Amino acid sequence: MNPSNCKLLIGNVRVPLDATEAEILKKATDKMKRAGLSTTSLHFRLYKKSVDARKKEDIRFVCTVMAESNDPKRIGSMAAEKLKLADARLYEEESLTPVFGNETLAARPLVVGMGPAGLFAALLLARNGYQPILIDRGASVEERVNDVSAFRATGRLNTESNIQFGAGGAGTFSDGKLITRINDPRCGFVLSTLCEFGAPLEITVQAKPHIGSDLLRDVVSSMLREIQRLGGDVRYHCRLEDFVRLPDGTIKAVTTQGDLHCGAIILAVGHSARDTYFKLLEKNFAMEAKPISVGVRAEHLQTDIDRALYGRMAGHPNLGHAEYALSDTTSGRGVYTFCMCPGGEVVAAASEEERLVVNGMSNHARNGVNANAAVAVSIGCDDIEPMNGSRILGAIAFQRHLEHAAFVAGGKDFYAPIMTLGDFLSGTRGTEPTRVLPSYRDGKVRVSDFEAIFPPFVLSSLKRGFLSFGKKLQGYDSADTVLTAAETRTSAPVRILRDAEAMTAIGFDRVYPCGEGAGYAGGITSAAVDGVRVAMALMARFGRVKKENI
């Protein structure tokens, strides 16, 4: 333990819903005192806060409090047995101070993709004087919002600027959820950096933090302006089409805006850049297929979800809207909910013509009528039929087949195919939604038959999942639940293999694959963390850029 960076976390501080922050901190100090620990010279602050709704008659907040001291020896000398009695543990943040290597980068680094991985990688490089070139095939936030709104209203798709492509990546239009399963100290850095650029401070405390699609747009724009202020070059409508390694140590990147010479490339392309995957396969990158998931969006009334989870406490001003995460693995094939959006809407997330994709989003207030979540079925690599001998091509073809089938089922005009859950489970057809109304494109949907979209094993798994979830969350299997197809972009279908230490692609020592599109992340926070890791690895090798090439 580094005594100069020593802190203490006091966990399991349980308080009523109306407890003030001062009351939470007092309860933490009382826990320490009862364990025989002195609280003199310690400064306390709220670290995390979550809801425990297991007992609906006694819903409480469960908090973790951080204790710090100007004299770190005060904490470092505390007896382990007393800390255990207080539900306390020592805590250290990992330093993000870069270590600079001895090699010189022949030209400025190129970062491909403005999603969380690319944004954070470019920001760190810019803050340390590398003046990166940051490109994305899509548009700026402002232009992208207009393109997405136009698609929603008219059904005319811009294949280069949509929910998948453009500044901020797919996460910009998916609620800005920051929940992650990874336990990495860099997560704290990501959250604090987002706050620095305008995200609400509450995300550093919430156990299930979210920014909201409306606020996240401004955060992304602020980060891009800072990268430019620090000497970075930000280019929109600039798609990477190829690259060639040159004898002088530079790379010629072929883009839709002409050739760019760079010293290294960070590939943060996102999970929907299928043409990029094809180019990497063509260039013999080491890649492998990885499991994916496909399914539908399920919509319920948010008030029903609130009552099911919070009982009589539903609507309490300190609780907010209820969230859920459900899973079923009884058959050996997982079915689970993903990207749950309280008070949100189902959005049109297509990026290719004649292929229909749905996703979910909500704004910061989460004040929409419906709750929605993906209900997804796990698809293993063995489930994928190889295409031309490649499971990677097979996985992409599998996704595309479902997306085209959904497009056809919806009427070939980007109306989405829907079913009520009652019809889906009973085998009947044609029931129009009544109590729960579909939110996709303000109701531009058509009642359909999912047998025309999904293979039998996906349909049977979805049915099993809904019946299981109905037993775990009252009303989840209600007949008036609305299902919208098809959710296919839950994660990247491939992994671009890289060296575990150098973080470079196998056989391409100046190309750094990272983020969700490279198969190393599964959401905004984990993708941002991977972007940080890759930027740190690049700086640890290349201490500077040749001055004449800046």
Side-chain angles (χ1 to χ4, degrees):
M1 180 179 63
N2 178 4
S4 66
N5 189 32
C6 185
K7 301 174 183 178
L8 192 68
L9 291 179
I10 304 104
N12 199 30
V13 180
R14 302 175 61 83
V15 297
L17 296 181
D18 294 322
T20 65
E21 185 167 334
E23 290 169 335
I24 295 170
L25 301 184
K26 183 179 185 305
K27 189 153 189 178
T29 60
D30 290 343
K31 286 188 72 171
M32 289 189 66
K33 289 175 181 178
R34 286 195 300 271
L37 295 168
S38 171
T39 60
T40 305
S41 78
L42 294 182
H43 170 70
F44 291 83
R45 67 177 177 87
L46 184 61
Y47 180 72
K48 288 294 176 187
K49 187 178 184 181
S50 62
V51 176
D52 183 355
R54 290 174 295 178
K55 297 179 180 179
K56 292 184 179 62
E57 69 281 2
D58 185 28
I59 298 176
R60 291 185 167 254
F61 285 125
V62 181
C63 305
T64 301
V65 171
M66 177 172 280
E68 303 175 75
S69 174
N70 293 328
D71 177 13
K73 292 181 181 179
R74 284 273 299 105
I75 292 176
S77 62
M78 291 181 177
E81 61 272 16
K82 292 184 177 181
L83 289 175
K84 186 175 181 181
L85 285 173
D87 286 314
R89 59 184 175 87
L90 297 172
Y91 172 82
E92 284 190 281
E93 293 176 313
E94 180 175 307
S95 172
L96 283 175
T97 303
V99 175
F100 299 105
N102 297 320
E103 291 187 51
T104 299
L105 203 59
R108 296 162 70 183
L110 173 66
V111 181
V112 183
M114 295 185 193
L119 274 177
F120 271 83
L123 180 65
L124 255 68
L125 292 174
R127 283 179 165 174
N128 287 282
Y130 288 77
Q131 299 186 24
I133 305 167
L134 176 59
I135 68 173
D136 196 286
R137 69 198 301 161
S140 66
V141 170
E142 296 79 9
E143 185 180 348
R144 190 179 176 206
V145 167
N146 291 335
D147 291 334
V148 169
S149 297
F151 180 41
R152 175 187 173 125
T154 68
R156 290 193 295 270
L157 174 66
N158 183 335
T159 57
E160 293 295 288
S161 179
N162 45 61
I163 279 184
Q164 306 296 348
F165 301 140
T172 304
F173 292 91
S174 65
D175 183 80
K177 283 176 287 294
L178 305 173
I179 303 168
T180 181
R181 292 187 180 92
I182 66 171
N183 184 20
D184 191 304
R186 285 167 283 240
C187 291
F189 168 77
V190 168
L191 296 181
S192 62
T193 300
L194 291 170
C195 290
E196 179 185 341
F197 290 99
L201 289 173
E202 65 200 37
I203 66 171
T204 62
V205 174
Q206 295 169 327
K208 297 179 179 180
H210 86 108
I211 299 175
S213 295
D214 48 345
L215 301 188
L216 186 56
R217 298 166 190 170
D218 291 335
V219 174
V220 169
S221 294
S222 295
M223 292 181 71
L224 288 166
R225 285 194 296 269
E226 177 67 1
I227 291 167
Q228 290 175 302
R229 187 188 71 81
L230 294 169
D233 184 2
V234 175
R235 301 189 183 190
Y236 307 108
H237 303 292
C238 188
R239 183 177 67 246
L240 179 69
E241 296 192 324
D242 198 358
F243 62 87
V244 180
R245 292 181 289 185
L246 302 177
D248 65 356
T250 63
I251 300 173
K252 182 179 76 172
V254 181
T255 79
T256 50
Q257 291 187 8
D259 295 345
L260 294 174
H261 287 270
C262 55
I265 298 178
I266 292 178
L267 278 178
V269 295
H271 59 38
S272 293
R274 291 163 172 169
D275 51 355
T276 303
Y277 292 149
F278 298 153
K279 176 57 66 173
L280 296 179
L281 285 170
E282 181 185 309
K283 298 181 78 68
N284 294 317
F285 270 70
M287 301 165 67
E288 64 183 12
K290 58 183 283 292
I292 57 173
S293 301
V294 300
V296 298
R297 279 273 153 183
E299 288 192 272
H300 301 81
L301 293 181
Q302 183 63 54
T303 52
D304 290 350
I305 298 297
D306 290 344
R307 281 193 296 270
L309 286 169
Y310 293 157
R312 65 180 179 81
M313 298 303 293
H316 190 288
N318 291 345
L319 272 177
H321 285 312
E323 301 177 58
Y324 60 80
L326 304 168
S327 63
D328 178 81
T329 57
T330 54
S331 73
R333 182 184 297 279
V335 184
Y336 64 99
T337 62
F338 171 79
C339 184
M340 191 266 163
C341 300
E345 64 180 277
V346 176
V347 294
S351 59
E352 297 177 344
E353 292 288 2
E354 299 189 358
R355 294 187 175 96
L356 192 146
V357 184
V358 296
N359 198 355
M361 66 158 274
S362 54
N363 290 325
H364 180 70
R366 289 180 163 176
N367 55 0
V369 173
N370 289 356
N372 77 79
V375 179
V377 177
S378 298
I379 309 295
C381 293
D382 291 341
D383 294 316
I384 301 297
E385 187 72 25
M387 181 177 180
N388 297 330
S390 168
R391 288 197 187 275
I392 294 173
L393 294 178
I396 295 172
F398 179 78
Q399 290 177 317
R400 279 180 159 171
H401 173 77
L402 298 184
E403 293 165 13
H404 181 68
F407 178 77
V408 173
K412 300 184 180 181
D413 52 7
F414 286 112
Y415 275 55
I418 65 164
M419 291 186 76
T420 64
L421 183 57
D423 275 5
F424 182 67
L425 293 177
S426 67
T428 55
R429 300 291 180 268
T431 302
E432 294 283 347
T434 53
R435 201 171 69 97
V436 183
L437 298 178
S439 59
Y440 175 93
R441 295 185 60 206
D442 294 323
K444 292 182 175 67
V445 298
R446 290 191 174 95
V447 176
S448 184
D449 184 349
F450 288 175
E451 287 187 3
I453 302 172
F454 297 103
F457 77 91
V458 171
L459 293 171
S460 61
S461 296
L462 284 172
K463 290 175 182 178
R464 187 191 74 245
F466 276 108
L467 293 173
S468 170
F469 300 162
K471 296 174 183 176
K472 297 175 181 180
L473 182 58
Q474 185 178 6
Y476 200 84
D477 56 352
S478 295
D480 57 9
T481 301
V482 172
L483 311 182
T484 310
E487 174 95 24
T488 58
R489 309 282 181 91
T490 57
S491 64
V494 305
R495 179 172 289 111
I496 306 169
L497 302 183
R498 69 188 184 191
D499 182 272
E501 292 187 12
M503 307 289 279
T504 52
I506 304 299
F508 293 83
D509 73 338
R510 290 174 184 258
V511 178
Y512 294 78
C514 75
E516 190 164 344
Y520 293 98
I524 292 174
T525 302
S526 59
V529 165
D530 203 52
V532 169
R533 293 176 65 208
V534 162
M536 298 286 278
L538 186 151
M539 290 186 287
R541 176 181 174 186
F542 299 106
R544 62 188 184 280
V545 182
K546 279 187 179 180
K547 290 184 179 179
E548 60 269 29
N549 289 331
I550 289 181

